[in-house]
Amino acid sequence: MRPADPGIGHTDDRITRQGLFASASPLNVRIADARQLDMPFAPHPGVAVAGEAPFAFSLGGDDLLAVVPLWRFMCLAEIANFAPLRRHLGAPRADCLVMDIADRVSELLPQARLAVVGRKCVEFTFDGDRIDDLQAALDRLKTIFEQAIDLDGEPHRIELVLGGAGAPLASADDIRLAEEAEQAIEEAHHGHVPVIRDLSSSTPVFDRHTLIRDLGEAHDRGEMFLQYQPKVHLRRQEICSAEALVRWQHPVRGLILPGDFIPVAEESRAIGPLTLWTLEQVIADQKMLAAEGHDLLIFINISGQLLGDAAFVARACQMVASSGARIGFEITETSVIRDPETAIAHLQIIAEVGIALAIDDYGAGLSSLAYLKQLPASELKIDKLFITQLTSSNRDPLIVRSTIDLAHALDMEVTAEGVETQASMALLSVMGCDMVQGFLISRPISIGAFRQFLDEDRHLEAAADPRASFFRPASFWKSA
């Protein structure tokens, strides 16, 4: 039997559901997002954690309960016997099976963020206190689907393959979690049992010398590429800018994330050439977008090491000034602290040639008002550490609201990073936040997918309906 309350996105009209899948498969539906403003909580034992790790605590009775989980999990559930079920049920009904999976995941994990990412695969992300929570969830889901399910009056058994990955919340990286979850489900296909990858104890070890050698030739071999993540201006309801993110697709090691290769680039002094290559690509892409009617400001990340390099600053300013492209630089406060006098002087030069400056990851480090008031920045980006728990904490909203007011007093606009739910976006809008960036709007995507995103004004759907922005055709995600 279908669950009595399967959650937002469900309809008992089978014909309607089939029509949705026929026209927009695969769907990407965040079923639990609309519940965030009225999220049910259970009592939670206090947890004391040393250092900067996340913590959990609760208040008894009717007091406001704040729970900060310790782990983030990403899982994939795939229908292994999809082909025979499609032959028996027909393609339209078989295409709806993923919603049956999503409904039951939503019932089992009401706070999970769900995305139907293919005709037979569901991705879901949730938080917990220990890696055992992931094991328990997958075991429970496997047990549920071991029983036959009533499909249009007939019992059918859906064979589910399950794989997932978990990481401590303080070090969780969404891209790496997704990659590890994909690896886990591949292993699950072979072993016929749920597979879990614990990222707290299995961090990949890179040969730094080999990585340094390969990095020097990576862009010449076409291994480096850019992805773009848009930012939405809340009051104007439009894409106002985007952040360019550099990626490295190594021919042997696969996708290497910036957290692994940027420190190596800084150590080997390759960060300057890599950043200039990034800037060159972004200038070309920005001018192409402007010619198509999307004259957006595009930001790139600048290493603190480069703020003290006069030659780099001069070359970067010359490239931007001669191109006429609208370019911005994102910097962190910690990068200024290395050599404040030189960094601030170079930032003044950068700002004078018309390059917009944004302070990135604000609040993640030791934020200093002494430096903040000296920086010629026009934008301040609140770190996602404070945004992901915005609707489930009684302290983060106070910090975020105070930061917004501070930035506005310094004549800066505010961007909230890591916005994943409609509830968070609504609360940020009430607080006066100017812009939002995060998976609710779009993941980082290729330039081709970004152009399509802009042409179709998909951000408007995200603002109007917590589910609508994720009704994207398969071709969109393949191109991303």
Side-chain angles (χ1 to χ4, degrees), residues 77 87 163 173 290 333 439:
R87 286 194 296 270
D173 184 290
E333 282 186 292
F439 279 17

Side-chain angles (χ1 to χ4, degrees), residues 106-129:
S106 180
E107 186 178 31
L108 177 66
L109 302 166
Q111 298 175 24
R113 297 169 290 281
L114 285 90
V116 179
V117 294
R119 299 182 74 189
K120 57 180 180 179
C121 189
V122 176
E123 175 188 289
F124 55 99
T125 306
F126 65 102
D127 298 333
D129 296 328

Side-chain angles (χ1 to χ4, degrees), residues 228-248:
Y228 293 89
Q229 188 170 36
K231 291 188 285 187
V232 169
H233 197 287
L234 288 173
R235 290 187 296 278
R236 299 200 298 262
Q237 290 294 294
E238 65 182 17
I239 301 294
C240 56
S241 60
E243 180 180 358
L245 301 161
V246 63
R247 303 285 187 253
W248 182 7

